Amino acid sequence: MNYKLIVNNIHKEFDTKSGSIIAISDISFDVKAGEIVAIVGPSGCGKSTLLNIIAGLDNPNSGNYYFDTENPKIAYMLQTDALLPWKSVLDNSLIGLKIRKEINEEKISKVKNLLKEYGLKDFIDKKASVLSGGMKQRVALIRSLAIEPDILLLDEPFCALDYCTRLSIEKDVHKIIKDSNTTSIIITHDIEEALNMSDRIIVLTNRPSVIKKIYDLPFDDNINRRSLPNYETIYNSIWEDLNE
Amino acid sequence: MNKYKLKVAITRFLLTSLVLILWELGSRYNIINSFIFSSPSMVIKSTINFLKDGTLIVHILVTLKEVLISFVLGIIIALIVSMLMYMKKFLHDVLDPFLTILNSMPKVALGPIIIIWIGANNKSIITMALLINVIVSIINIYTAFTNTDENQIKMFQSFKATKMQIFTKLVIPANIPAIISSLKVNLSLTFIGVIMGEFLVSKKGLGYLILYGTQVFNLNLVIMGIVILIILSYVLYDIIVIIEKKLPAR
Ligand SMILES: Nc1ncnc2c1ncn2[C@@H]1O[C@H](COP(=O)(O)OP(=O)(O)OP(=O)(O)O)[C@@H](O)[C@H]1O
Ligand SMILES: [Mg+2]
């Protein structure tokens, strides 16, 4: 099996005024190429910290992680869309390419096609500030995918959206990620979201966190997962993991 | 809404006219002492005289030049210093207490020393104005820079943006409105500094005109100076507002 990312014994502490706190005790896992892994866990257990470390924005106190390439391209999608409201939707989508100085005609037209495909055709030249919440998240996703990342990291990307928007965008995002065959890690506190979007679910314990359980989801991609018999069993099992 | 705006405008106009008319009548019928209160018609007459002999334009231009130089220099210095402070935390940590102290001290008190050090010329006036406008501008702009949306910064960092890229492509454009509003503050502080300076050293300029008018008890002159000053600062302020309106919303 070819792995995209291997994480070994990550340990992370923070120094605070009241002494140091251990956020992550010891976490190891790996992510296969093209796989979508969901991470769920109680609030404050260190999920964002883990993702920051993988994104290279923070360093672990010990442990290490490897990508299958020397200089992996990482795309990070946060809770807020972080769009630049003074720029057009297209310019927002291209910003990663511009920063990385990888922009060219071919990539621009690819991004335009993605925007068209995901319902943003009429907004390509509009300012990002006029979009609805769900649209903004779609632009943020397209911005992330534009650089053709080796891995896409999503930190509770939909938690600021209302329930209905959320359901439809979950489907969109899942499809966009799968179509582009992008390896992804998604953090969520919503068990259903994890079940709907991922191939594997990693459940973390309370802080200082370790991995409690890993669920390989036996779901095919194209069917409505919710109606499958295993869905509820796994849902209940994760729910118990989190509430013990 | 338009009808409402018209109503507001008309009321403003009537209010101004009323004050001017009462002032004029009061002074004509000796209800107020026209020697110390002057009157709109006397101010206009004296303005016309000063315009005719060409001295008024000279005074206006002198003040305008001092204001523009101090304003532009002030904003350039403030932008550079706040940028350096933003890019180099060390520099910020060193400068921070000095800025706080300078900000809270009444800069006007330094006026006499500045004149001794720099001389009784318009360099002193510009220095005075800079001293008054630059500190506040630095603090305002730097604070705005540091309040840039953390998530947007994180997004840039995840794309491996350099600090310089983050600054030029995110921090600056995100803070254009804040920079504009600090321009407004800077402008009014510049006027304070320049007029203050002119009071202290100048032989030309609106500040000088006002001071001179007071000394020779020519109140027409004083009020003319003040009114022109108001018009001048309003016009400059309005230019900034027009620029501001042309910018896309943030
Ligand atoms: N920069 C920091 N300095 C000090 N403590 C921190 C820092 N960042 C995170 N922590 C602490 O580390 C722990 C883990 O934080 P983290 O944000 O990773 O949790 P999380 O699982 O993402 O939580 P949530 O579900 O609420 O988003 C928390 O207790 C938090 O207070
Ligand atoms: Mg978090």
Side-chain angles (χ1 to χ4, degrees):
Chain A
M1 202 76 223
N2 52 337
Y3 290 104
K4 197 78 192 174
L5 168 70
I6 299 176
V7 174
N8 290 320
N9 307 102
I10 296 277
H11 176 86
K12 177 71 183 176
E13 298 177 13
F14 287 107
D15 292 323
T16 61
K17 279 181 198 127
S18 48
S20 85
I21 60 159
I22 302 173
I24 299 171
S25 169
D26 182 358
I27 287 183
S28 307
F29 64 96
D30 38 49
V31 183
K32 297 177 199 105
E35 191 182 24
I36 304 178
V37 171
I39 298 179
V40 297
S43 182
C45 74
K47 304 181 293 292
S48 299
T49 306
L50 183 61
L51 225 53
N52 279 339
I53 290 172
I54 295 171
L57 301 180
D58 205 345
N59 294 312
N61 294 75
S62 63
N64 49 40
Y65 58 97
Y66 303 100
F67 285 93
D68 65 344
T69 54
E70 190 81 356
N71 283 310
K73 286 196 230 175
I74 294 163
Y76 201 165
M77 207 173 140
L78 308 157
Q79 272 174 22
T80 61
D81 51 71
L83 295 184
L84 310 182
W86 61 89
K87 282 190 180 273
S88 71
V89 167
L90 181 62
D91 284 342
N92 264 291
S93 314
L94 296 174
I95 195 131
L97 289 169
K98 277 187 196 149
I99 292 171
R100 301 178 60 93
K101 303 199 166 71
E102 290 169 358
I103 198 154
N104 59 39
E105 282 307 315
E106 186 200 328
K107 293 201 164 147
I108 294 176
S109 72
K110 214 179 126 187
V111 166
K112 277 187 181 161
N113 284 335
L114 275 176
L115 289 170
K116 282 177 194 155
E117 196 175 336
Y118 292 98
L120 294 153
K121 186 168 183 290
D122 298 331
F123 295 90
I124 288 181
D125 297 314
K126 295 260 163 56
K127 290 267 177 301
S129 47
V130 307
L131 301 179
S132 70
M135 288 171 151
K136 284 180 178 163
Q137 281 302 38
R138 260 175 281 167
V139 175
L141 180 67
I142 291 169
R143 173 184 67 201
S144 302
L145 293 176
I147 64 165
E148 295 170 359
D150 290 295
I151 196 161
L152 172 64
L153 308 174
L154 305 104
D155 191 348
E156 306 200 26
F158 314 125
C159 78
L161 303 176
D162 62 83
Y163 184 71
C164 289
T165 315
R166 209 164 151 155
L167 284 185
S168 75
I169 201 168
E170 268 173 25
K171 278 210 187 89
D172 280 353
V173 167
H174 186 228
K175 185 170 171 340
I176 303 176
I177 295 176
K178 273 294 167 195
D179 285 353
S180 59
N181 197 30
T182 309
T183 313
S184 310
I185 301 178
I186 178 167
I187 289 178
T188 169
H189 57 247
D190 180 342
I191 303 175
E192 279 197 56
E193 195 168 283
L195 283 165
N196 290 338
M197 294 188 61
S198 70
D199 303 315
R200 202 142 56 99
I201 300 178
I202 297 177
V203 183
L204 300 183
T205 63
N206 270 316
R207 180 168 66 83
S209 53
V210 295
I211 293 177
K212 179 152 206 172
K213 233 182 218 173
I214 298 183
Y215 294 85
D216 274 299
L217 300 185
F219 302 144
D220 199 346
D221 270 334
N222 299 317
I223 357 175
N224 185 4
R225 294 180 171 190
R226 220 176 281 254
S227 57
L228 293 175
N230 284 339
Y231 191 90
E232 215 167 304
T233 328
I234 301 174
Y235 182 99
N236 289 333
S237 172
I238 296 176
W239 201 86
E240 270 166 35
D241 291 340
L242 291 175
N243 288 284
E244 260 168 27
Chain B
M1 194 60 211
N2 261 341
K3 229 178 185 174
Y4 176 78
K5 274 185 187 162
L6 191 69
K7 208 165 129 191
V8 171
I10 290 175
T11 312
R12 281 180 188 155
F13 177 76
L14 290 178
L15 209 62
T16 317
S17 313
L18 184 73
V19 171
L20 289 175
I21 291 169
L22 285 180
W23 183 9
E24 182 69 37
L25 291 178
S27 127
R28 286 217 177 167
Y29 294 102
N30 283 325
I31 300 168
I32 54 175
N33 183 345
S34 65
F35 182 63
I36 56 170
F37 286 104
S38 178
S39 78
S41 63
M42 284 155 79
V43 171
I44 290 170
K45 224 179 279 167
S46 126
T47 308
I48 290 171
N49 285 339
F50 269 87
L51 274 174
K52 269 188 191 150
D53 69 9
T55 45
L56 184 56
I57 288 295
V58 173
H59 289 297
I60 292 176
L61 287 180
V62 165
T63 299
L64 187 63
K65 187 176 147 201
E66 287 161 355
V67 165
L68 288 181
I69 292 176
S70 323
F71 174 74
V72 172
L73 269 183
I75 215 71
I76 290 174
I77 295 172
L79 276 173
I80 291 174
V81 173
S82 32
M83 173 187 151
L84 291 174
M85 277 168 49
Y86 182 81
M87 303 289 275
K88 295 262 170 273
K89 182 183 174 315
F90 176 75
L91 194 68
H92 165 259
D93 291 348
V94 171
L95 291 184
D96 193 39
F98 297 114
L99 286 174
T100 313
I101 292 168
L102 283 174
N103 189 38
S104 57
M105 89 169 277
K107 267 83 55 183
V108 181
L110 293 178
I113 307 184
I114 291 172
I115 294 165
I116 293 172
W117 285 346
I118 300 182
N121 52 40
N122 65 354
K123 283 199 198 96
S124 279
I125 298 174
I126 291 169
T127 310
M128 186 90 165
L130 278 179
L131 214 58
I132 292 181
N133 72 22
V134 100
I135 308 290
V136 178
S137 297
I138 291 174
I139 293 174
N140 282 348
I141 296 174
Y142 175 78
T143 310
F145 284 173
T146 54
N147 286 339
T148 309
D149 187 298
E150 250 175 69
N151 286 309
Q152 291 174 342
I153 292 179
K154 215 165 161 192
M155 183 265 289
F156 267 69
Q157 285 171 336
S158 74
F159 287 128
K160 297 275 177 292
T162 61
K163 240 185 153 180
M164 201 61 196
Q165 279 178 318
I166 294 179
F167 187 75
T168 55
K169 287 189 186 345
L170 174 62
V171 175
I172 287 276
N175 286 297
I176 296 284
I179 293 172
I180 300 269
S181 80
S182 90
L183 288 184
K184 293 181 185 167
V185 177
N186 183 312
L187 183 67
S188 58
L189 291 176
T190 304
F191 267 100
I192 295 176
V194 164
I195 297 304
M196 211 49 232
E198 285 185 354
F199 279 177
L200 289 174
V201 298
S202 172
K203 291 275 165 279
K204 280 194 190 97
L206 294 170
Y208 164 76
L209 209 60
I210 292 168
L211 192 71
Y212 173 77
T214 322
Q215 283 162 354
V216 300
F217 249 77
N218 183 346
L219 270 294
N220 302 335
L221 204 60
V222 175
I223 290 169
M224 177 186 82
I226 293 172
V227 171
I228 293 172
L229 211 49
I230 291 172
I231 295 172
L232 202 61
S233 60
Y234 182 78
V235 168
L236 293 182
Y237 188 88
D238 225 40
I239 292 175
I240 299 178
V241 173
I242 290 170
I243 295 172
E244 187 175 31
K245 281 195 181 141
K246 288 235 157 76
L247 293 168
R250 286 295 184 273

